[in-house]
Amino acid sequence: MKKSFWKVPLYCMIASWICFQLEIRLGRFAVITLPDGSVTADNTRWLIMTGILFIAIIAIGSIFFFRNMTRKEIFYSASVLVAINVIVGLISYKIQGMLAFYWAELSEWNIFVVQLLWQANINPLIISIVSWILPYIFIIFGKKGIKDSFL
């Protein structure tokens, strides 16, 4: 178990960086020109693009990276990322600095869920909490171990 504590944080951060890069390069498909010549983003297209990326990240992680881990191992590994998310989120809120901007690139994998909640007019604090604990979604795809009765 000690060898796997880093798997969820590392996977999510690498997936976030790749996702961020893809959003920059593919984001032009979500840009539309209005009749008056101004340019804006089409939220529907953006949601579709980020939704596809989110599903791909969940699928790739669950099939290739976390398939052999028990739910308990994934829980502990995801807890490391959740703790990092909470710490960085609270520090970013307190100092209102560039930390949030830099951390966004390493936590971009779940932006689809954040955007859905934002469009549903959910309280920003609730959205932050949901985004912080979202790494626990990978527990669903773990193996049920003999001693995993609590998960």
Side-chain angles (χ1 to χ4, degrees):
M1 191 175 320
K2 292 180 182 180
K3 293 180 182 180
S4 63
F5 78 93
W6 56 270
K7 283 188 178 182
V8 172
L10 186 63
Y11 174 75
C12 288
M13 288 180 191
I14 291 171
S16 292
W17 185 81
I18 292 169
C19 189
F20 186 80
Q21 299 302 318
L22 287 171
E23 288 172 2
I24 290 171
R25 285 157 181 77
L26 299 175
R28 65 178 177 204
F29 296 114
V31 175
I32 57 173
T33 303
L34 299 176
D36 65 354
S38 61
V39 177
T40 188
D42 181 350
N43 287 335
T44 304
R45 291 180 186 176
W46 187 262
L47 275 174
I48 291 169
M49 181 184 67
T50 58
I52 291 169
L53 289 172
F54 179 73
I55 291 169
I57 289 167
I58 297 294
I60 291 168
S62 62
I63 293 170
F64 296 108
F65 293 98
F66 310 126
R67 177 176 49 141
N68 294 327
M69 292 175 67
T70 65
R71 291 178 181 175
K72 190 174 185 179
E73 289 173 323
I74 294 172
F75 172 78
Y76 289 128
S77 183
S79 294
V80 171
L81 184 55
V82 169
I84 293 169
N85 286 339
V86 170
I87 292 167
V88 171
L90 292 176
I91 291 171
S92 297
Y93 174 75
K94 185 68 176 167
I95 65 173
Q96 300 290 315
M98 292 297 290
L99 179 63
F101 178 74
Y102 293 121
W103 184 248
E105 191 171 340
L106 294 176
S107 60
E108 190 71 14
W109 72 276
N110 63 3
I111 196 68
F112 173 70
V113 175
V114 171
Q115 290 172 344
L116 281 179
L117 295 173
W118 188 258
Q119 287 192 353
N121 293 320
I122 304 296
N123 182 313
L125 178 61
I126 302 298
I127 294 173
S128 294
I129 292 169
V130 169
S131 72
W132 294 343
I133 65 170
L134 204 56
Y136 288 131
I137 196 169
F138 291 109
I139 293 172
I140 299 168
F141 305 104
K143 292 189 311 187
K144 186 161 177 86
I146 297 171
K147 297 180 182 179
D148 288 346
S149 60
F150 77 97
L151 294 174

